[in-house]
Amino acid sequence: MSTLRFHAIKESLAYKPIKIEEVERRSEIFGKNVFNMKTMRQYLTKDAFVGVENAVQFGKKIDRNIADQVASSMKDWALAKGVTHYTHWFQPLTGATAEKHDAFFETLGDDLAIEQFGGSQLVQQEPDASSFPNGGIRNTFEARGYTAWDPTSPAFIYGTTLCIPTIFVAYTGEALDYKTPLLRALQAVDTAATAVCKYFDKNVKKVTSSLGWEQEYFLIDKTLAASRPDIMLTGRTLLGHTSAKGQQLDDHYFGSIPNRALNFMRELETECMLLGIPVKTRHNEVAPNQFEVAPIFEEANLAVDHNSLLMDIMGRIASKHNFKVLFHEKPFAGVNGSGKHNNWSLSTDTGVNLLAPGKTPMSSLQFLTFFVNTIKAVHKHEALLRAVIASASNDHRLGANEAPPAIISVFIGEQLRKVLEELEGVTKGKLSPQEKTELKLNVVGKIPDVLLDNTDRNRTSPFAFTGNKFEFRAVGSMANCGNPMTVLNTIVAKQLKDFKKEVDALIDKKDLKKDEAVFNVLREYIKSTKDILFEGNSYGEAWEAEAKKRGLSNSKSTPEALKASISKETVALFKEMNVMSAIETKARYEIEIEAYVMHNQIESRVLADIARNNIVPTAVKYQNVLIENVKGLKEIFDKNFKNVAKEQITLIEEISSHIEGINSNVTKMIDERRSANKLMEMDKRAEAYSKKVMPFFDAIRYHCDKLELLVDDEIWPLTKYRELLFTR
Ligand code: ADP
Ligand code: MG
């Protein structure tokens, strides 16, 4: 009997749910462990409070004296809650979060000790973090990296540690994390959008970008997961025959949440409440043991931090409940993968959601302006949007005959498409008073009513308008949202900047009125962006052929997709919008392409090991049983033995052919891997992995999965799909 697998199954069946008691109301514990505005008001002096408030709202610098006061109050607050350590919490380019804990504790000599935390420790730290990816920016000889306090994201307590959200940059100023470019992109979109808002409302002073993510994940029994080396080392199953029952009955989707998972969710939600993460919905997803958690949307910077924090605490709480969380985009073949929908919008400091139609024709024209400009930005930069969601793991989901596809398109629904069609007919230049009235009353003015019954929602679109926001659905479940949010806000900022230039030119040079100019520019945008709009089923050959005609990119692999992230246009775009310098843009590309190679190299090694060291020996063992059986039959039946041993002999042959299939393919894959590793240029190496090494994954898997169906279940070493997916 295969000991590890059956031991794991036995353990998982004996699991007793951990009781969860929620004593306090959620609204009461919300933000209890966050040094938020409410707490700051209590703990800070008036000066210090105003200083932080100005930093948060207007990006003003916090001076040293104020920082000292904030640090001291932060320490008092934390100590009162039993905290012993503090850490600068940041998001390096590994995709995970990083922290290095320091104690408040200090000795003063003469056996005296105190708890200390000053402004300098709050504002800046120098973690010896030379092993984080930096894409060549920061080799250990030339410059160190440091973390710097980001007052726009409040400090929080996790366990007994005070965590201070920070950015991570090289001494020479280049960003080494996801947050720094995001903050710059948010600044860019604020500037550009505020300028455009002034056409409609002079009072607008600030525009913020909001993000509401929906996080999908799988929950797998911890012991069962531990019995699979592929899950432990790569986060996904590299082989395993599909279970007889999968998701075909749709009986998991929105079904009642299994108790064990529910207990995990309740504890997670309590922790989220304490940390001020406003989680609101939870439900079963399509695949068995797949779930989703989503918060109420927040300002994008905070939402990005909260998503990273959530992913971190999910892993820890899951472990307590004997689960392993899988964030991988495609942990199991044959059932749905996981994504992270990024619901995105822009709103003003006057409280207007710029992607929601307003009550008056003028505010609806403002909505249309932002709506059409977003579509234009996506059309122009579709390849960059595809690049920003590219990763080794997301490749298994995007374009793999499952929504969303590798082609970026925008879904806006039939009603809004009709509105745009009408606007295409707007007269060039000056508009007659009748036309203006007609437009305002019957086209733009009708949008709110039109949208009310905009109920059809295309679930396959990678970028969909859903009533008052756009939903970027192709983001991977493992990804840090910082990256896609940086790109989306940057391209929209650039587009709005260009739009303003065009409108101003019409006003100045053609003597058009403001609204006439807006209508004129929007008309041209609508005409030129039709190719990005798509309402049909977004995956499959028909759309691929159509998309090709329209000139949309369709990059199926990361190395191909990433080319757009270092194109001349992209480098210029980030530079112009002050989001990333050319060096930073190139460094990110290097890091991503290398990560792609590393992930696939690891997978290739793990697959070869399992296939040769687990599957083949097991198959041989079973084949020997069959051979003994045939020998015995020969003894009993002598010449006639072939009649009775026919099936066994066929099985023996089949097993041999699959063993041959595994061994020859593993050998070829290893040879290809060797040649790929010799390529010194990382993009060439990545391409070799994609085109030459990875095709063997499927071939090897095919033979292993066939053997799973043939070999005696009692000796099969790997925990099977049915066990992983249906143990609750
Ligand atoms: P679904 O898209 O699954 O139907 P909802 O429409 O309820 O779900 O919203 C999904 C996410 O979108 C939630 O996190 C929600 O807070 C967020 N959301 C709603 N309005 C906005 C907005 N204006 N900007 C950003 N996110 C938003
Ligand atoms: Mg959604």
Side-chain angles (χ1 to χ4, degrees):
M1 189 185 264
S2 153
T3 41
L4 185 55
R5 172 176 160 222
F6 287 97
H7 174 76
I9 293 173
K10 212 167 134 199
E11 285 249 313
S12 77
L13 291 175
Y15 170 82
K16 298 241 173 3
I18 291 173
K19 251 186 139 171
I20 298 296
E21 277 171 48
E22 287 171 85
V23 271
E24 283 176 281
R25 247 191 235 193
R26 294 192 172 189
S27 56
E28 260 151 48
I29 59 169
F30 185 70
K32 226 175 169 176
N33 290 346
V34 185
F35 200 61
N36 53 21
M37 285 297 171
K38 189 174 139 204
T39 312
M40 278 192 244
R41 221 181 274 274
Q42 270 172 28
Y43 276 82
L44 294 183
T45 59
K46 189 147 179 270
D47 280 356
F49 182 77
V50 172
V52 176
E53 208 177 26
N54 279 334
V56 173
Q57 279 182 1
F58 306 108
K60 295 231 170 83
K61 256 195 135 62
I62 292 181
D63 70 35
R64 190 47 203 273
N65 167 31
I66 300 280
D68 274 333
Q69 291 187 42
V70 175
S72 162
S73 311
M74 230 183 227
K75 183 194 71 182
D76 292 345
W77 170 74
L79 289 179
K81 287 176 163 285
V83 168
T84 54
H85 286 67
Y86 65 90
T87 181
H88 272 197
W89 184 81
F90 59 105
Q91 299 168 56
L93 297 167
T94 53
T97 56
E99 46 195 83
K100 175 184 162 231
H101 298 188
D102 282 296
F104 288 124
F105 171 83
E106 287 285 351
T107 52
L108 296 176
D110 293 335
D111 298 333
L112 285 177
I114 53 162
E115 262 82 26
Q116 205 175 35
F117 184 58
S120 57
Q121 286 125 314
L122 167 66
V123 171
Q124 192 171 314
Q125 292 275 309
E126 198 180 300
D128 178 24
S130 43
S131 298
F132 287 117
N134 60 70
I137 284 180
R138 185 174 56 98
N139 68 50
T140 29
F141 301 104
E142 72 183 334
R144 292 156 300 175
Y146 68 93
T147 51
W149 179 33
D150 168 19
T152 59
S153 180
F156 57 88
I157 294 170
Y158 188 66
T160 51
T161 306
L162 170 69
C163 303
I164 299 150
T166 54
I167 56 167
F168 182 37
V169 285
Y171 261 99
T172 38
E174 288 89 3
L176 297 170
D177 66 353
Y178 283 113
K179 242 178 113 144
T180 310
L182 173 68
L183 291 174
R184 297 181 193 145
L186 295 175
Q187 177 65 52
V189 84
D190 173 12
T191 308
T194 303
V196 170
C197 280
K198 295 220 192 273
Y199 287 139
F200 307 96
D201 180 359
K202 289 259 178 282
N203 296 319
V204 173
K205 289 196 191 63
K206 188 179 163 72
V207 171
T208 35
S209 163
S210 52
L211 164 65
W213 38 262
E214 300 165 58
Q215 177 73 54
E216 291 179 340
Y217 61 97
F218 279 84
L219 271 186
I220 304 301
D221 180 90
K222 184 161 106 180
T223 331
L224 294 182
S227 74
R228 299 265 321 208
D230 48 357
I231 294 184
M232 295 316 283
L233 297 176
T234 72
R236 73 170 178 127
T237 57
L238 296 171
L239 39 84
H241 199 280
T242 42
S243 161
K245 179 179 188 263
Q247 64 187 43
Q248 58 276 69
L249 299 178
D250 280 331
D251 51 353
H252 188 65
Y253 192 47
F254 278 52
S256 66
I257 300 173
N259 262 336
R260 195 177 158 185
L262 189 61
N263 284 351
F264 155 78
M265 290 178 193
R266 286 172 56 197
E267 184 166 353
L268 173 67
E269 285 162 0
T270 303
E271 193 55 56
C272 284
M273 285 300 114
L274 290 168
L275 289 167
I277 307 174
V279 289
K280 185 153 165 86
T281 59
R282 61 181 185 208
H283 61 81
N284 291 358
E285 263 300 329
V286 176
N289 282 355
Q290 190 189 26
F291 305 93
E292 180 185 295
V293 54
I296 297 167
F297 69 94
E298 300 175 280
E299 183 274 309
N301 180 35
L302 191 57
V304 167
D305 279 5
H306 279 167
N307 182 248
S308 299
L309 182 57
L310 174 102
M311 287 170 78
D312 183 27
I313 61 180
M314 271 173 90
R316 303 190 206 197
I317 293 173
S319 181
K320 218 169 120 183
H321 289 258
N322 287 303
F323 279 125
K324 181 167 176 63
V325 188
L326 303 183
F327 287 117
H328 195 286
E329 285 81 359
K330 194 75 184 173
F332 301 98
V335 296
N336 271 24
S338 302
K340 173 147 53 198
H341 296 179
N342 278 207
N343 294 273
W344 168 89
S345 179
L346 294 172
S347 54
T348 66
D349 59 341
T350 53
V352 175
N353 175 357
L354 294 167
L355 286 168
K359 291 196 180 69
T360 63
M362 205 52 187
S363 58
S364 285
L365 182 57
Q366 173 172 275
F367 155 74
L368 257 183
T369 299
F370 283 90
F371 177 70
V372 172
N373 271 291
T374 305
I375 296 172
K376 175 95 174 154
V378 173
H379 185 211
K380 189 147 179 222
H381 301 282
E382 49 89 19
L384 178 57
L385 270 184
R386 166 65 183 98
V388 75
I389 49 165
S391 69
S393 53
N394 210 12
D395 276 2
H396 297 288
R397 171 170 160 261
L398 297 179
N401 226 10
E402 157 176 347
I407 307 164
I408 300 291
S409 65
V410 181
F411 171 86
I412 61 169
E414 206 186 321
Q415 288 88 346
L416 279 168
R417 202 197 55 217
K418 282 191 187 138
V419 171
L420 297 192
E421 275 164 12
E422 296 209 43
L423 289 171
E424 252 188 276
V426 168
T427 308
K428 231 180 170 145
K430 286 198 184 296
L431 311 181
S432 68
Q434 292 91 313
E435 188 175 3
K436 262 198 204 174
T437 314
E438 161 69 17
L439 277 173
K440 284 190 181 161
L441 285 183
N442 293 327
V443 183
V444 180
K446 287 268 163 68
I447 293 176
D449 311 330
V450 154
L451 268 186
L452 274 184
D453 48 61
N454 185 17
T455 45
D456 72 329
R457 287 198 174 185
N458 183 331
R459 305 305 299 185
T460 70
S461 175
F463 199 91
F465 183 71
T466 48
N468 57 2
K469 60 189 187 290
F470 277 99
E471 195 169 330
F472 191 12
R473 298 208 186 100
V475 180
S477 44
M478 257 168 84
N480 183 306
C481 308
N483 226 358
M485 280 298 113
T486 299
V487 167
L488 183 55
N489 286 296
T490 305
I491 63 175
V492 170
K494 163 73 174 144
Q495 179 50 47
L496 291 169
K497 188 178 162 194
D498 291 349
F499 170 77
K500 176 139 195 317
K501 249 189 246 158
E502 290 183 57
V503 171
D504 286 349
L506 289 182
I507 296 173
D508 294 344
K509 300 202 180 95
K510 303 260 151 127
D511 197 28
L512 297 192
K513 290 259 166 5
K514 201 169 53 190
D515 47 358
E516 286 172 338
V518 169
F519 274 123
N520 269 278
V521 177
L522 290 183
R523 180 194 59 233
E524 296 310 307
Y525 285 0
I526 292 166
K527 280 190 192 161
S528 64
T529 54
K530 282 186 188 159
D531 280 341
I532 197 74
L533 301 181
F534 183 63
E535 280 165 35
N537 190 350
S538 301
Y539 59 99
E541 281 167 22
W543 171 227
E544 290 195 38
E546 166 70 18
K548 195 171 172 190
K549 271 195 228 147
R550 297 188 185 189
L552 301 177
S553 57
N554 182 10
S555 302
K556 300 238 174 181
S557 72
T558 295
E560 213 183 308
L562 281 182
K563 286 182 185 148
S565 66
I566 43 153
S567 68
K568 261 207 327 251
E569 295 79 26
T570 301
V571 171
L573 166 78
F574 284 132
K575 205 166 153 221
E576 180 189 339
M577 302 315 290
N578 283 324
V579 172
M580 285 194 279
S581 67
I583 294 178
E584 289 172 311
T585 306
K586 288 196 181 119
R588 254 142 239 263
Y589 170 78
E590 295 293 328
I591 290 166
E592 278 160 24
I593 203 88
E594 189 175 349
Y596 175 84
V597 168
M598 293 305 160
H599 278 116
N600 286 313
Q601 184 178 41
I602 292 169
E603 287 197 350
S604 160
R605 287 177 180 160
V606 173
L607 179 59
D609 284 355
I610 299 179
R612 277 205 169 140
N613 306 337
N614 295 80
I615 308 299
V616 170
T618 307
V620 169
K621 210 187 274 174
Y622 182 56
Q623 200 183 35
N624 282 339
V625 172
L626 294 170
I627 291 169
E628 278 308 306
N629 178 267
V630 172
K631 278 189 191 157
L633 290 172
K634 193 171 176 191
E635 237 168 64
I636 299 171
F637 293 98
D638 199 20
K639 281 190 198 97
N640 281 336
F641 91 98
K642 278 199 174 154
N643 287 336
V644 281
K646 207 169 74 211
E647 292 302 324
Q648 288 88 324
I649 291 170
T650 312
L651 268 176
I652 291 170
E653 285 167 353
E654 272 184 52
I655 290 174
S656 281
S657 95
H658 290 306
I659 291 175
E660 195 282 325
I662 292 174
N663 268 332
S664 64
N665 281 304
V666 168
T667 304
K668 285 185 217 155
M669 176 176 76
I670 292 173
D671 285 344
E672 289 295 349
R673 206 166 71 208
R674 276 208 193 100
S675 326
N677 291 342
K678 287 201 188 109
L679 298 170
M680 277 306 138
E681 279 162 70
M682 229 7 124
D683 45 355
K684 299 253 161 58
R685 198 185 293 180
E687 202 171 300
Y689 264 92
S690 156
K691 296 220 167 95
K692 302 247 167 82
V693 179
M694 290 183 60
F696 288 104
F697 287 21
D698 287 341
I700 296 165
R701 177 178 192 146
Y702 170 81
H703 292 291
C704 292
D705 290 357
K706 284 286 176 202
L707 283 171
E708 186 181 326
L709 292 184
L710 299 179
V711 171
D712 181 5
D713 184 54
E714 284 278 302
I715 60 165
W716 190 255
L718 290 181
T719 304
K720 295 186 171 181
Y721 265 32
R722 62 164 187 263
E723 291 144 3
L724 291 166
L725 286 169
F726 289 95
T727 307
R728 318 234 134 135

